[in-house]
Amino acid sequence: MKKILFIAFAAFFGTILSSFVNQDAAGDRLIGVWEPSNGRARVKVEKIGAKYYGKIVWLKEAVDPVTKQPKTDKNNPDPNLQNVPLKGYRMLKDFVYAGKDEWTEGTIYDPLNGSTYSCTIKMTDKNSLEIRGYIGVSALGRTDIWKRLEVKKK
Amino acid sequence: MKLKFLSIALAAITFFGACNSSDQATEITVTDTFTLEGPLYEGSNPAQLVYAVDLKTLLGDKYHEGVKITDATLASATISPIDSGSLSGINSMVLSVASDNPELKMLELGVINPIKEGSQSAVLNPSGEANAGKYFQEKQYYIVLDVGLNADIEDNLSLKGEIKFNLKHN
């Protein structure tokens, strides 16, 4: 009897544990390098703790035409942070996997105007994302399609 | 009517003044090693620390039951190499904090860009606005150092960080 109970408990906790592991693995599908529809940047999604962040790893126009130096976050509302390099900047922040191919609770930063918007990410297939930035309610926003890039490993 | 308004305003000012006057300030120092595991690539490479918040140790004699950190601003952050004598090959650094708590958004605390070639250490310029107070109400959070490299590096890179925060608490 004790043995059967033990097996039942083990199976129960095993199921719970595996659902957490599967949830984690499902969320990790966001990890990779993605390109917005305008093709002007490439964004690498990484994980810090339990959340997902996307930083700019490539810019089509990486050099500031005025200063002739690598672009920095010159529109940051905090003047002390305006020399943060744009290449390397995390424009996607704090995304949590919500299940059903959606990542929520995050923000997207537009370096062109220094504005941060609420954002949700929907994976429509393994190589496509719908990135929706909005203010206040999701209905008031704009959606962009990002495509996954295959990265050649050295 | 005007007198009533003035009385309410005066009472509010007195109340909030009393609240503020009980706040205390403490400077704390976090010293730890950031390790970036090679191979590292040209561009930005992150290193992260899990920082366990222990208010008893941080505040020492000022600690009491129910103490709450309301403000935490970066006072200074100095990053220096451990293995070699200079920060050669590193062109920028950005220091941030992040948390697993969905209510806490990542904050950039400081930056140095560019770093002069041959520098022995890098002193980051603190953000003028970032307040990490709520991070000190968590059990733990992540300190993230993004290191900008001029070129690929095959080996690990270890950097010592001395990070000072100004804390305000009750």
Side-chain angles (χ1 to χ4, degrees), chain B residues 44-122:
Chain B
S44 174
N45 294 267
Q48 57 178 290
L49 297 174
V50 179
Y51 180 68
V53 178
D54 177 2
L55 292 182
K56 254 185 191 170
T57 307
L58 286 177
L59 300 177
D61 294 343
K62 293 179 182 173
Y63 178 83
H64 58 87
E65 273 306 314
V67 67
K68 189 176 179 184
I69 307 293
T70 50
D71 292 317
T73 52
L74 183 71
S76 68
T78 305
I79 312 293
S80 48
I82 288 178
D83 299 333
S84 63
S86 79
L87 295 171
S88 179
I90 299 176
N91 54 37
S92 67
M93 291 183 197
V94 180
L95 186 74
S96 311
V97 285
S99 167
D100 288 338
N101 182 347
E103 289 178 13
L104 289 187
K105 303 304 178 191
M106 180 181 246
L107 287 176
E108 283 99 27
L109 299 181
V111 59
I112 179 168
N113 178 37
I115 296 173
K116 281 183 189 168
E117 188 61 37
S119 296
Q120 305 291 311
S121 64

Coordinates of all heavy atoms in Angstrom, one line a residue, chain B residues 44-122:
Chain B
S44 N 28.5 43.9 -27.3 CA 28.1 43.9 -25.9 C 27.9 42.5 -25.4 O 27.2 41.7 -26.0 CB 26.7 44.7 -25.8 OG 26.2 44.6 -24.5
N45 N 28.6 42.2 -24.3 CA 28.5 40.9 -23.6 C 28.0 41.1 -22.2 O 28.6 41.9 -21.4 CB 29.9 40.2 -23.6 CG 30.3 39.9 -25.0 OD1 30.1 38.8 -25.5 ND2 31.0 40.8 -25.7
P46 N 27.0 40.4 -21.8 CA 26.5 40.6 -20.4 C 27.1 39.6 -19.4 O 27.4 38.5 -19.7 CB 25.0 40.2 -20.5 CG 24.9 39.2 -21.6 CD 26.1 39.5 -22.5
A47 N 27.3 40.2 -18.1 CA 27.7 39.3 -17.0 C 26.6 39.7 -15.9 O 26.2 40.8 -15.8 CB 29.1 39.7 -16.5
Q48 N 26.2 38.7 -15.2 CA 25.2 39.0 -14.2 C 25.6 38.3 -12.8 O 26.2 37.3 -12.8 CB 23.8 38.5 -14.6 CG 23.7 37.1 -15.0 CD 22.3 36.7 -15.4 OE1 21.4 36.7 -14.6 NE2 22.1 36.5 -16.7
L49 N 25.1 39.0 -11.8 CA 25.3 38.5 -10.4 C 23.9 38.4 -9.8 O 23.0 39.2 -10.1 CB 26.0 39.5 -9.5 CG 27.4 40.0 -9.9 CD1 27.8 41.1 -8.9 CD2 28.3 38.8 -9.7
V50 N 23.7 37.3 -9.0 CA 22.5 37.3 -8.2 C 22.8 37.9 -6.9 O 23.7 37.5 -6.2 CB 22.0 35.8 -8.0 CG1 20.8 35.8 -7.2 CG2 21.8 35.1 -9.4
Y51 N 22.1 39.0 -6.6 CA 22.4 39.7 -5.3 C 21.3 39.4 -4.3 O 20.2 39.8 -4.5 CB 22.6 41.2 -5.6 CG 22.9 42.0 -4.4 CD1 24.1 41.8 -3.7 CD2 21.9 42.8 -3.8 CE1 24.4 42.5 -2.6 CE2 22.2 43.5 -2.7 CZ 23.5 43.4 -2.0 OH 23.7 44.1 -0.9
A52 N 21.7 38.8 -3.2 CA 20.7 38.5 -2.2 C 20.6 39.7 -1.2 O 21.7 40.2 -0.7 CB 21.1 37.2 -1.4
V53 N 19.4 40.2 -1.0 CA 19.3 41.4 -0.2 C 19.2 41.0 1.3 O 18.3 40.2 1.7 CB 18.0 42.2 -0.6 CG1 17.8 43.4 0.3 CG2 18.1 42.6 -2.1
D54 N 20.2 41.4 2.1 CA 20.2 41.1 3.5 C 20.2 42.5 4.2 O 21.3 43.0 4.5 CB 21.4 40.2 3.8 CG 21.5 39.9 5.3 OD1 20.6 40.4 6.1 OD2 22.5 39.3 5.7
L55 N 19.1 43.0 4.5 CA 19.0 44.3 5.1 C 19.7 44.4 6.5 O 20.3 45.5 6.8 CB 17.6 44.8 5.2 CG 16.8 45.1 3.9 CD1 15.4 45.5 4.1 CD2 17.6 46.1 3.0
K56 N 19.7 43.3 7.2 CA 20.4 43.3 8.5 C 21.8 43.6 8.4 O 22.4 44.5 9.1 CB 20.2 42.0 9.2 CG 19.2 41.9 10.3 CD 19.2 40.6 11.0 CE 18.0 40.5 11.9 NZ 17.7 39.2 12.5
T57 N 22.5 43.0 7.4 CA 23.9 43.2 7.2 C 24.1 44.5 6.6 O 25.1 45.2 6.9 CB 24.4 42.0 6.3 OG1 24.1 40.8 6.9 CG2 25.9 42.1 6.1
L58 N 23.3 44.9 5.6 CA 23.5 46.1 4.9 C 23.4 47.4 5.8 O 24.2 48.3 5.7 CB 22.5 46.3 3.8 CG 22.7 45.4 2.5 CD1 21.5 45.6 1.6 CD2 24.0 45.7 1.8
L59 N 22.4 47.3 6.7 CA 22.1 48.5 7.5 C 22.8 48.5 8.8 O 22.9 49.6 9.5 CB 20.6 48.7 7.6 CG 19.8 48.9 6.3 CD1 18.3 49.0 6.6 CD2 20.3 50.1 5.6
G60 N 23.2 47.4 9.3 CA 24.0 47.3 10.5 C 23.1 47.8 11.7 O 22.0 47.3 11.9
D61 N 23.7 48.8 12.4 CA 23.0 49.3 13.6 C 21.6 50.0 13.3 O 20.8 50.1 14.1 CB 23.9 50.4 14.3 CG 25.1 49.7 14.9 OD1 25.1 48.5 15.0 OD2 26.1 50.4 15.2
K62 N 21.5 50.4 12.0 CA 20.3 51.1 11.6 C 19.1 50.2 11.3 O 18.0 50.6 11.1 CB 20.6 52.0 10.4 CG 21.5 53.2 10.7 CD 21.7 54.0 9.4 CE 22.7 55.1 9.7 NZ 23.1 55.8 8.5
Y63 N 19.4 48.9 11.3 CA 18.4 47.9 11.0 C 17.4 47.8 12.1 O 17.7 47.8 13.3 CB 19.0 46.5 10.7 CG 17.9 45.5 10.5 CD1 17.4 45.3 9.2 CD2 17.4 44.7 11.5 CE1 16.4 44.4 8.9 CE2 16.4 43.8 11.3 CZ 15.9 43.6 10.0 OH 14.9 42.7 9.8
H64 N 16.1 47.7 11.8 CA 15.0 47.4 12.8 C 13.9 46.7 12.1 O 13.8 46.7 10.8 CB 14.5 48.7 13.4 CG 14.0 49.7 12.4 ND1 12.7 49.7 12.0 CD2 14.6 50.7 11.7 CE1 12.5 50.7 11.1 NE2 13.6 51.3 10.9
E65 N 13.1 46.0 12.8 CA 12.0 45.2 12.3 C 11.1 46.2 11.5 O 10.8 47.3 11.9 CB 11.2 44.6 13.4 CG 11.7 43.2 13.9 CD 11.8 42.2 12.8 OE1 10.9 42.1 11.9 OE2 12.9 41.5 12.7
G66 N 10.8 45.8 10.3 CA 9.8 46.6 9.5 C 10.5 47.6 8.7 O 9.9 48.5 8.0
V67 N 11.9 47.7 8.7 CA 12.6 48.7 7.9 C 12.3 48.5 6.4 O 12.2 47.4 5.9 CB 14.1 48.6 8.2 CG1 14.7 47.3 7.6 CG2 14.8 49.8 7.6
K68 N 12.1 49.6 5.8 CA 11.8 49.6 4.3 C 12.6 50.5 3.6 O 12.7 51.7 3.9 CB 10.3 49.9 4.2 CG 9.8 49.7 2.8 CD 8.3 50.0 2.7 CE 7.7 49.8 1.3 NZ 6.3 50.1 1.2
I69 N 13.3 50.0 2.5 CA 14.1 50.9 1.7 C 13.1 51.6 0.7 O 12.4 51.0 0.0 CB 15.1 50.1 0.9 CG1 16.0 49.2 1.8 CG2 16.0 51.0 0.0 CD1 16.9 49.9 2.7
T70 N 13.2 52.9 0.7 CA 12.3 53.7 -0.2 C 13.0 54.2 -1.5 O 12.4 54.2 -2.5 CB 11.7 54.9 0.5 OG1 12.7 55.6 1.2 CG2 10.7 54.4 1.6
D71 N 14.3 54.5 -1.3 CA 15.1 55.0 -2.4 C 16.4 54.3 -2.4 O 17.0 54.1 -1.4 CB 15.4 56.5 -2.3 CG 14.1 57.3 -2.5 OD1 13.3 57.0 -3.4 OD2 13.9 58.3 -1.7
A72 N 16.9 54.0 -3.6 CA 18.2 53.5 -3.8 C 18.8 54.0 -5.1 O 18.3 53.7 -6.2 CB 18.2 51.9 -3.8
T73 N 19.7 54.9 -4.9 CA 20.4 55.5 -6.1 C 21.8 55.1 -6.2 O 22.5 54.9 -5.1 CB 20.2 57.0 -6.1 OG1 20.7 57.5 -4.9 CG2 18.8 57.4 -6.3
L74 N 22.3 55.0 -7.4 CA 23.7 54.6 -7.5 C 24.6 55.8 -7.2 O 24.4 56.9 -7.8 CB 24.0 54.2 -9.0 CG 25.4 53.7 -9.3 CD1 25.7 52.3 -8.6 CD2 25.7 53.6 -10.8
A75 N 25.5 55.6 -6.2 CA 26.4 56.7 -5.8 C 27.6 56.6 -6.7 O 28.1 57.6 -7.2 CB 26.8 56.5 -4.4
S76 N 28.2 55.4 -6.9 CA 29.3 55.2 -7.8 C 29.4 53.8 -8.1 O 29.0 52.9 -7.4 CB 30.6 55.7 -7.1 OG 30.9 54.9 -6.0
A77 N 30.1 53.5 -9.2 CA 30.4 52.1 -9.6 C 31.8 52.1 -10.3 O 32.0 52.8 -11.3 CB 29.3 51.6 -10.6
T78 N 32.7 51.4 -9.7 CA 34.0 51.3 -10.2 C 34.3 49.8 -10.6 O 34.1 48.9 -9.8 CB 35.1 51.8 -9.2 OG1 34.7 53.1 -8.7 CG2 36.5 51.8 -9.8
I79 N 34.7 49.7 -11.9 CA 34.9 48.3 -12.4 C 36.4 48.2 -12.7 O 36.9 49.1 -13.5 CB 34.1 48.0 -13.6 CG1 32.6 48.4 -13.4 CG2 34.3 46.6 -14.1 CD1 31.9 47.6 -12.4
S80 N 37.1 47.2 -12.3 CA 38.5 47.1 -12.6 C 38.8 45.6 -12.9 O 38.1 44.7 -12.5 CB 39.4 47.5 -11.4 OG 38.9 46.9 -10.2
P81 N 39.9 45.4 -13.7 CA 40.2 44.0 -14.1 C 40.8 43.2 -13.0 O 41.4 43.7 -12.1 CB 41.2 44.2 -15.2 CG 41.8 45.5 -14.9 CD 40.8 46.4 -14.2
I82 N 40.6 41.9 -13.0 CA 41.2 41.0 -12.0 C 42.5 40.3 -12.6 O 43.5 40.3 -12.0 CB 40.2 39.9 -11.6 CG1 39.1 40.6 -10.7 CG2 40.9 38.8 -10.8 CD1 38.1 39.7 -10.2
D83 N 42.3 39.8 -13.8 CA 43.4 39.0 -14.4 C 44.5 39.8 -15.0 O 45.7 39.5 -14.8 CB 42.8 38.1 -15.5 CG 41.8 37.1 -14.9 OD1 41.9 36.8 -13.7 OD2 40.9 36.7 -15.6
S84 N 44.2 40.9 -15.7 CA 45.2 41.7 -16.3 C 45.3 43.1 -15.7 O 44.4 43.5 -14.9 CB 45.0 41.8 -17.8 OG 43.7 42.4 -18.1
G85 N 46.2 43.9 -16.1 CA 46.4 45.2 -15.5 C 45.5 46.3 -16.0 O 45.4 47.3 -15.4
S86 N 44.9 46.1 -17.2 CA 44.1 47.2 -17.7 C 42.8 46.7 -18.3 O 42.6 45.5 -18.4 CB 44.9 48.0 -18.8 OG 44.9 47.3 -20.0
L87 N 42.0 47.6 -18.7 CA 40.7 47.3 -19.4 C 40.9 47.3 -20.9 O 39.9 47.6 -21.6 CB 39.6 48.2 -18.9 CG 39.3 48.2 -17.4 CD1 38.4 49.4 -17.1 CD2 38.6 46.9 -17.0
S88 N 42.0 47.0 -21.3 CA 42.3 47.0 -22.8 C 41.3 46.1 -23.6 O 41.0 45.0 -23.1 CB 43.7 46.4 -23.0 OG 44.0 46.4 -24.4
G89 N 40.8 46.7 -24.6 CA 39.8 46.0 -25.5 C 38.4 46.2 -25.1 O 37.5 45.7 -25.8
I90 N 38.2 46.9 -23.9 CA 36.8 47.2 -23.5 C 36.5 48.6 -23.8 O 37.3 49.5 -23.4 CB 36.6 46.9 -22.0 CG1 36.9 45.4 -21.7 CG2 35.2 47.3 -21.5 CD1 36.9 45.1 -20.2
N91 N 35.4 48.9 -24.5 CA 35.1 50.2 -25.0 C 34.0 50.9 -24.2 O 33.8 52.1 -24.3 CB 34.9 50.3 -26.5 CG 33.8 49.4 -26.9 OD1 32.8 49.2 -26.3 ND2 34.0 48.8 -28.1
S92 N 33.2 50.1 -23.5 CA 32.0 50.7 -22.8 C 31.5 49.7 -21.7 O 31.8 48.5 -21.8 CB 30.9 51.0 -23.7 OG 30.3 49.8 -24.3
M93 N 30.8 50.2 -20.8 CA 30.1 49.4 -19.8 C 28.8 50.0 -19.4 O 28.7 51.3 -19.3 CB 31.0 49.2 -18.5 CG 32.2 48.4 -18.7 SD 33.1 48.3 -17.1 CE 34.7 47.8 -17.6
V94 N 27.8 49.2 -19.2 CA 26.5 49.7 -18.7 C 26.1 48.8 -17.5 O 26.2 47.6 -17.6 CB 25.4 49.6 -19.8 CG1 24.1 50.1 -19.3 CG2 25.8 50.4 -21.0
L95 N 25.7 49.4 -16.4 CA 25.3 48.7 -15.2 C 23.8 48.8 -15.1 O 23.2 49.9 -15.1 CB 26.0 49.2 -14.0 CG 25.8 48.5 -12.7 CD1 26.6 47.2 -12.7 CD2 26.2 49.3 -11.5
S96 N 23.1 47.6 -14.9 CA 21.7 47.6 -14.8 C 21.3 46.7 -13.6 O 22.1 45.9 -13.2 CB 21.0 47.1 -16.0 OG 21.5 47.7 -17.2
V97 N 20.0 46.8 -13.2 CA 19.5 45.8 -12.3 C 18.2 45.2 -12.9 O 17.5 45.9 -13.7 CB 19.1 46.4 -10.9 CG1 20.4 46.6 -10.1 CG2 18.3 47.7 -11.0
A98 N 17.9 44.0 -12.6 CA 16.7 43.3 -13.1 C 16.2 42.4 -12.1 O 16.9 42.0 -11.1 CB 17.1 42.5 -14.4
S99 N 14.9 42.0 -12.2 CA 14.3 41.2 -11.2 C 13.3 40.2 -11.8 O 12.8 40.5 -12.9 CB 13.5 42.1 -10.2 OG 12.7 41.3 -9.4
D100 N 13.1 39.1 -11.1 CA 12.1 38.1 -11.6 C 10.7 38.7 -11.3 O 9.7 38.1 -11.9 CB 12.3 36.8 -10.9 CG 13.5 36.0 -11.5 OD1 13.9 36.4 -12.6 OD2 14.0 35.2 -10.7
N101 N 10.5 39.6 -10.5 CA 9.2 40.2 -10.1 C 8.7 41.0 -11.4 O 9.3 41.9 -11.8 CB 9.4 41.1 -8.9 CG 8.1 41.7 -8.5 OD1 7.0 41.7 -9.2 ND2 8.0 42.3 -7.3
P102 N 7.5 40.5 -11.9 CA 7.0 41.2 -13.1 C 6.7 42.7 -12.9 O 6.7 43.5 -13.9 CB 5.7 40.5 -13.4 CG 5.8 39.2 -12.7 CD 6.7 39.4 -11.5
E103 N 6.5 43.1 -11.7 CA 6.3 44.5 -11.4 C 7.5 45.4 -11.4 O 7.4 46.6 -11.5 CB 5.6 44.7 -10.0 CG 4.1 44.1 -10.1 CD 3.4 44.3 -8.7 OE1 4.0 44.9 -7.9 OE2 2.4 43.6 -8.6
L104 N 8.7 44.8 -11.4 CA 9.9 45.5 -11.4 C 10.5 45.5 -12.8 O 10.8 44.4 -13.3 CB 10.9 45.0 -10.4 CG 10.6 45.3 -8.9 CD1 11.7 44.8 -8.0 CD2 10.3 46.7 -8.7
K105 N 10.7 46.7 -13.4 CA 11.3 46.7 -14.7 C 12.8 47.0 -14.6 O 13.3 47.6 -13.6 CB 10.6 47.9 -15.5 CG 9.1 47.7 -15.6 CD 8.7 46.4 -16.2 CE 7.2 46.2 -16.3 NZ 6.8 44.9 -16.6
M106 N 13.5 46.5 -15.6 CA 14.9 46.7 -15.6 C 15.3 48.1 -15.6 O 14.6 49.0 -16.2 CB 15.5 46.0 -16.9 CG 17.0 46.2 -17.0 SD 17.7 45.4 -18.5 CE 18.6 44.1 -17.8
L107 N 16.3 48.5 -14.8 CA 16.8 49.9 -14.7 C 18.2 50.0 -15.1 O 19.0 49.2 -14.6 CB 16.6 50.4 -13.3 CG 15.3 50.6 -12.7 CD1 15.4 51.0 -11.2 CD2 14.6 51.8 -13.4
E108 N 18.6 50.9 -15.9 CA 20.0 51.2 -16.2 C 20.4 52.2 -15.1 O 19.8 53.2 -14.9 CB 20.2 51.8 -17.5 CG 20.1 50.8 -18.7 CD 18.8 50.8 -19.4 OE1 18.1 51.9 -19.3 OE2 18.4 49.8 -19.9
L109 N 21.5 51.8 -14.4 CA 22.0 52.6 -13.3 C 23.1 53.5 -13.6 O 23.3 54.6 -13.0 CB 22.4 51.7 -12.1 CG 21.3 50.9 -11.5 CD1 21.8 50.1 -10.3 CD2 20.1 51.7 -11.0
G110 N 24.0 53.1 -14.6 CA 25.1 53.9 -14.9 C 25.8 53.4 -16.2 O 25.6 52.3 -16.6
V111 N 26.6 54.3 -16.7 CA 27.3 54.0 -18.0 C 28.7 54.7 -18.0 O 28.9 55.7 -17.4 CB 26.4 54.4 -19.2 CG1 26.2 55.9 -19.1 CG2 27.1 54.0 -20.5
I112 N 29.6 54.0 -18.8 CA 30.8 54.7 -19.2 C 31.0 54.4 -20.6 O 31.0 53.2 -21.0 CB 32.0 54.4 -18.3 CG1 33.3 55.1 -18.8 CG2 32.3 52.9 -18.2 CD1 34.5 55.1 -17.9
N113 N 31.1 55.4 -21.5 CA 31.3 55.2 -22.9 C 31.9 56.5 -23.5 O 31.2 57.5 -23.4 CB 30.0 54.8 -23.6 CG 30.2 54.7 -25.1 OD1 31.2 54.2 -25.6 ND2 29.2 55.2 -25.8
P114 N 33.1 56.5 -24.0 CA 34.0 55.4 -24.2 C 34.9 55.2 -23.0 O 34.9 56.1 -22.1 CB 34.8 55.8 -25.4 CG 34.9 57.3 -25.3 CD 33.5 57.7 -24.7
I115 N 35.6 54.1 -23.0 CA 36.6 53.9 -22.0 C 38.0 54.1 -22.6 O 38.3 53.5 -23.7 CB 36.6 52.4 -21.4 CG1 35.2 52.2 -20.7 CG2 37.7 52.1 -20.5 CD1 35.0 50.8 -20.2
K116 N 38.8 55.0 -22.0 CA 40.1 55.3 -22.6 C 40.9 54.0 -22.7 O 41.0 53.3 -21.7 CB 40.8 56.4 -21.8 CG 40.3 57.8 -22.1 CD 41.1 58.8 -21.3 CE 40.4 60.1 -21.4 NZ 40.9 61.1 -20.4
E117 N 41.6 53.8 -23.8 CA 42.5 52.7 -24.0 C 43.6 52.7 -22.9 O 44.2 53.7 -22.6 CB 43.1 52.7 -25.4 CG 43.9 51.5 -25.8 CD 43.1 50.2 -25.8 OE1 42.0 50.3 -26.2 OE2 43.7 49.2 -25.4
G118 N 43.8 51.5 -22.2 CA 44.8 51.4 -21.2 C 44.3 51.8 -19.8 O 45.1 51.8 -18.9
S119 N 43.1 52.2 -19.7 CA 42.6 52.5 -18.3 C 42.7 51.4 -17.3 O 42.5 50.2 -17.7 CB 41.1 52.9 -18.4 OG 40.9 54.0 -19.2
Q120 N 43.1 51.7 -16.1 CA 43.2 50.7 -15.1 C 41.9 50.3 -14.5 O 41.7 49.3 -13.9 CB 44.2 51.2 -14.0 CG 45.5 51.7 -14.4 CD 46.4 50.5 -14.9 OE1 46.5 49.5 -14.2 NE2 46.9 50.6 -16.1
S121 N 41.0 51.3 -14.5 CA 39.6 51.0 -14.0 C 38.6 51.9 -14.7 O 39.0 52.9 -15.3 CB 39.6 51.2 -12.5 OG 39.8 52.6 -12.2
A122 N 37.4 51.6 -14.5 CA 36.3 52.4 -15.2 C 35.3 52.9 -14.1 O 34.8 52.1 -13.3 CB 35.6 51.6 -16.2

